[in-house]
Amino acid sequence: MEFNKQLCASILGISMVVAHIVLLWYLWTVFGSVEAENKSVYVAEIATPLTGAFALTVVKWVIDTQGKITSKKTVGVTLVIILILLTFALYGALIYGPHQYQIGSWQPDDLNRFFVFVETGIGGMFGLLFNDMFDKE
């Protein structure tokens, strides 16, 4: 079973941009405001650079392709499964961490370390996939 690479990239790209816009809005609203109750939570600052890189990669690719699916290149089911697993792992982790903090299970340092781990670990894997998925073809 094979899937059109550009179509998969389009779905992944739209999903990542929307999720990261929502995530950054939430993080900056809850943890990044001047009135935030705890100034030692830096999750908004941790997430912003990687989010910016993801979004810029997708936007640049959309500009390059003009949003058209023109390639006949395909990807296998294994790559699609890995993309789905990483996407749900990232989204789940980015919901889980702030939830643990808000219910009082984690201290600010726990949340900060968790975000660094998630953004570098899973984000690094996404970086490798993005490098391949968002080419000009």
Side-chain angles (χ1 to χ4, degrees):
M1 178 178 256
E2 294 182 342
F3 300 91
N4 183 284
K5 184 177 181 178
Q6 277 188 332
L7 181 59
C8 288
S10 295
I11 293 168
L12 174 64
I14 291 168
S15 167
M16 291 299 290
V17 169
V18 168
H20 278 81
I21 287 170
V22 171
L23 173 70
L24 281 184
W25 168 80
Y26 170 74
L27 293 177
W28 280 103
T29 300
V30 173
F31 300 110
S33 69
V34 175
E35 295 84 26
E37 68 181 58
N38 194 330
K39 296 294 182 197
S40 59
V41 173
Y42 300 110
V43 294
E45 292 87 347
I46 293 167
T48 298
L50 191 58
T51 298
F54 284 149
L56 286 173
T57 299
V58 173
V59 169
K60 173 72 170 110
W61 178 77
V62 169
I63 291 168
D64 289 345
T65 63
Q66 294 295 289
K68 297 176 184 175
I69 308 297
T70 58
S71 176
K72 301 292 184 211
K73 274 188 170 179
T74 59
V75 294
V77 70
T78 305
L79 182 65
V80 173
I81 290 170
I82 292 295
L83 287 170
I84 291 169
L85 287 174
L86 285 176
T87 300
F88 281 111
L90 180 63
Y91 294 168
L94 295 178
I95 293 168
Y96 175 77
H99 174 72
Q100 289 298 105
Y101 176 77
Q102 289 181 321
I103 65 171
S105 295
W106 287 359
Q107 297 301 311
D109 286 344
D110 299 322
L111 182 60
N112 290 335
R113 277 192 301 275
F114 181 76
F115 257 73
V116 168
F117 170 74
V118 167
E119 290 287 340
T120 57
I122 297 175
M125 288 184 267
F126 264 118
L128 291 172
L129 287 168
F130 269 44
N131 189 44
D132 178 64
M133 292 299 292
F134 295 101
D135 59 11
K136 289 186 181 184
E137 288 187 29

